[in-house]
C-alpha cells in the first residue's frame, strides 16, 4: 500500500459529504497549484496597509485572531514587503563615555557602516598591542629613563656626602646601621663605646647629644628631600611613558579620526581613547608578538580582567 492509499480519508469520515462532481477538478492535492498570497478579509488587509503607512512614531499594530489562520505569516510577509520599499534604517552603536561610563554614547551611522566601525576599533586594538611595545624597545625610552634616575641618584649622593663631611667636622662618623643611617660620636678619631660615653663629663655628653640631634634632624630633612625627588622622578618617568605611548598611538588613531571626520561623537570618542591609552600604557606594554610566554599560566580571572579593561574601547 502506497502512502496515498494509506492516508486516503473515506467519504464517510468527512464532516461534509461532497459529490463526485465537486471533486473532479483534481485527483489529489498534489495537482492543486499553491496559493499565491493568503486568504484574508479585505478589511484586515486595508488596516494593515494603513497602519504600516503611518510614519509618525508611537503607533503600533495589534493583530489578533484564531490560531492556525496564518495571521502571523501574513503579517510578517506584508511587513517585509513594505520594508523593501522603505528607507533602510541607520546603524546605531554604543561607545564608551569616558567622563561617565554608566552613560554610554549612542551614535548613528549609515546602514552597514556600524559593523565597519566595530571592526576598525578591533583592528586598532590589535595594532596598538604591537606598536606600543615596539616604541619602548627603541632604546630612547631607556636612555631618558636612566638619565632621570641618575640625576636623582647623583643629587642624593652629593647631599649624603655633604652631610657625612659635616658629621666628621662635628666629631661623628655617619654609618649604615640595621635601621638606616646613624651617627656615632668619635674621640681622637675612634668611635666611643657606650661605657666611654657614659664616663664623659655631663657638659661634654650634652654637647655631643646636641650635635647628634642636629645631625639627625638634617638626616631626616635629607631623606624627605630624597623622597620628594624620587616622587618627581616617578612623575617624569610617567610623563615620558605617556609621550612614548602617544607617539605610537597617535598616528593609528588619527587615521580613524580622518575616516570618521563627519561624525563628531566618534571623533571625540577617538580622542578620549588616545588620552586614556596614554595613561594606561602598562596594559599594552609587553604584549608584542616577540615577547616570551609567561612561566606561569595566567589565571582565568586575570584574563577576564584584561578583557574587561579593553571593553572600554570596543563598539557595541
Amino acid at each position: 500500500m502506497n502512502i496515498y492509499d494509506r492516508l486516503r480519508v473515506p467519504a464517510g469520515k468527512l464532516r461534509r459529504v461532497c459529490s463526485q462532481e465537486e471533486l473532479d477538478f483534481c485527483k489529489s492535492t498534489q495537482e492543486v497549484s499553491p496559493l499565491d498570497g493568503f486568504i484574508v478579509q479585505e478589511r484586515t488587509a486595508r488596516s494593515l496597509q494603513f497602519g504600516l503607512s503611518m510614519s509618525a512614531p508611537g503607533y503600533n499594530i495589534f493583530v489578533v485572531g484564531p490560531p492556525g489562520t496564518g495571521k502571523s505569516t501574513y503579517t510578517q510577509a506584508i511587513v517585509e514587503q513594505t520594508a523593501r520599499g522603505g528607507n533602510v534604517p541607520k546603524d546605531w552603536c554604543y561607545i564608551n563615555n569616558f567622563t561617565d561610563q554608566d552613560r554610554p554614547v549612542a551614535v548613528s551611522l549609515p546602514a552597514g557602516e556600524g559593523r565597519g566601525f566595530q571592526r576598525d576599533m578591533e583592528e586598532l586594538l590589535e595594532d596598538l598591542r604591537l606598536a606600543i611595545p615596539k616604541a619602548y624597545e627603541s632604546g630612547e625610552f631607556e636612555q631618558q629613563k636612566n638619565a632621570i634616575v641618575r640625576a636623582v641618584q647623583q643629587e642624593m649622593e652629593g647631599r649624603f656626602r655633604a652631610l657625612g663631611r659635616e658629621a666628621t667636622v662635628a666629631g661623628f662618623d655617619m654609618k649604615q646601621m640595621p635601621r638606616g643611617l646613624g651617627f656615632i660620636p668619635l674621640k681622637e678619631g675612634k668611635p666611643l663605646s657606650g661605657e666611654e660615653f657614659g664616663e664623659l663629663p655631663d657638659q661634654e655628653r650634652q654637647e655631643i647629644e646636641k650635635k647628634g640631634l642636629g645631625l639627625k634632624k638634617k638626616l631626616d630633612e635629607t631623606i624627605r628631600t630624597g623622597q620628594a625627588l624620587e616622587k618627581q622622578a616617578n612623575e617624569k618617568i610617567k610623563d615620558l611613558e605617556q609621550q612614548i605611548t602617544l607617539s605610537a598611538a597617535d598616528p593609528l588613531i588619527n587615521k580613524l579620526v580622518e575616516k570618521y571626520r563627519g561624525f563628531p561623537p566618534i571623533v571625540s570618542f577617538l580622542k578620549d581613547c588616545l588620552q586614556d591609552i596614554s595613561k594606561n600604557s602598562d596594559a599594552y606594554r609587553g604584549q608584542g608578538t616577540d615577547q616570551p610566554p609567561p612561566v606561569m599560566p595566567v589565571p582565568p580571572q586575570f584574563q577576564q580582567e584584561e578583557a574587561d579593561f579593553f571593553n572600554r574601547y570596543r563598539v557595541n
Side-chain angles (χ1 to χ4, degrees):
M1 178 182 296
N2 60 38
I3 188 170
Y4 303 108
D5 294 333
R6 185 161 51 86
L7 298 179
R8 190 184 303 274
V9 181
K13 290 188 176 181
L14 295 175
R15 296 179 64 187
R16 174 179 177 271
V17 179
C18 300
S19 65
Q20 184 64 39
E21 289 77 12
E22 291 178 289
L23 300 176
D24 283 342
F25 66 92
C26 66
K27 293 182 179 180
S28 73
T29 54
Q30 286 184 319
E31 299 178 10
V32 179
S33 301
L35 178 65
D36 185 12
F38 300 88
I39 302 174
V40 181
Q41 295 179 2
E42 183 181 352
R43 182 181 176 186
T44 303
R46 289 202 311 269
S47 298
L48 274 172
Q49 293 292 348
F50 175 77
L52 291 171
S53 67
M54 298 290 292
S55 58
Y59 288 90
N60 299 281
I61 296 175
F62 179 70
V63 181
V64 65
T69 56
K71 61 183 180 300
S72 298
T73 304
Y74 172 74
T75 303
Q76 181 70 26
I78 294 299
V79 169
E80 291 178 356
Q81 180 182 351
T82 304
R84 281 195 293 270
N87 297 324
V88 179
K90 294 181 178 180
D91 288 348
W92 283 92
C93 303
Y94 276 122
I95 52 179
N96 187 23
N97 180 353
F98 287 90
T99 304
D100 185 357
Q101 296 198 20
D102 290 332
R103 297 178 180 273
V105 177
V107 59
S108 64
L109 290 162
E113 293 189 17
R115 292 289 184 188
F117 177 39
Q118 187 182 52
R119 286 193 299 269
D120 285 341
M121 289 305 298
E122 291 295 334
E123 291 175 4
L124 173 65
L125 289 176
E126 293 302 319
D127 291 341
L128 290 171
R129 288 177 175 180
L130 295 175
I132 292 176
K134 286 185 178 179
Y136 284 88
E137 295 170 1
S138 63
E140 180 181 354
F141 169 70
E142 289 298 330
Q143 291 176 3
Q144 297 185 45
K145 178 182 176 181
N146 292 336
I148 295 172
V149 174
R150 280 198 304 271
V152 174
Q153 291 175 341
Q154 292 172 359
E155 173 71 17
M156 292 310 299
E157 287 173 0
R159 288 177 178 269
F160 281 120
R161 282 197 298 268
L163 184 59
R165 289 193 295 269
E166 186 175 347
T168 300
V169 172
F172 286 82
D173 182 22
M174 187 172 70
K175 295 188 68 175
Q176 181 68 42
M177 298 182 178
R179 295 187 178 181
L181 289 173
F183 300 95
I184 299 176
L186 302 174
K187 187 171 184 178
E188 297 179 356
K190 296 181 180 181
L192 277 175
S193 65
E195 293 180 358
E196 292 174 331
F197 180 76
E199 293 174 355
L200 294 175
D202 290 344
Q203 185 175 356
E204 188 174 352
R205 285 203 311 273
Q206 292 174 4
E207 187 67 25
I208 291 174
E209 288 174 350
K210 182 179 179 180
K211 290 180 180 180
L213 288 174
L215 290 170
K216 179 65 168 58
K217 182 178 179 181
K218 290 186 177 182
L219 175 62
D220 292 340
E221 291 175 355
T222 302
I223 292 174
R224 284 195 295 270
T225 300
Q227 292 171 340
L229 290 174
E230 184 178 2
K231 182 179 179 181
Q232 293 174 9
N234 289 333
E235 291 174 353
K236 289 180 179 179
I237 292 173
K238 189 66 177 177
D239 291 340
L240 177 61
E241 289 176 346
Q242 291 187 12
Q243 294 172 16
I244 297 292
T245 303
L246 281 172
S247 67
D250 188 67
L252 297 172
I253 291 181
N254 271 335
K255 286 174 61 178
L256 291 185
V257 169
E258 290 301 320
K259 181 175 180 178
Y260 294 97
R261 179 67 66 184
F263 303 94
I266 293 181
V267 172
S268 178
F269 166 70
L270 290 169
K271 291 181 178 179
D272 288 341
C273 286
L274 181 61
Q275 294 302 317
D276 190 76
I277 289 167
S278 70
K279 297 175 183 177
N280 295 281
S281 59
D282 289 344
Y284 296 87
R285 305 255 314 260
Q287 294 195 24
T289 55
D290 296 334
Q291 295 295 323
V295 177
M296 296 294 290
V298 180
Q301 64 268 29
F302 293 118
Q303 294 178 358
Q304 183 62 38
E305 288 175 7
E306 179 182 293
D308 292 343
F309 173 82
F310 288 108
N311 280 341
R312 67 182 68 190
Y313 308 119
R314 292 190 167 97
V315 178
N316 183 359

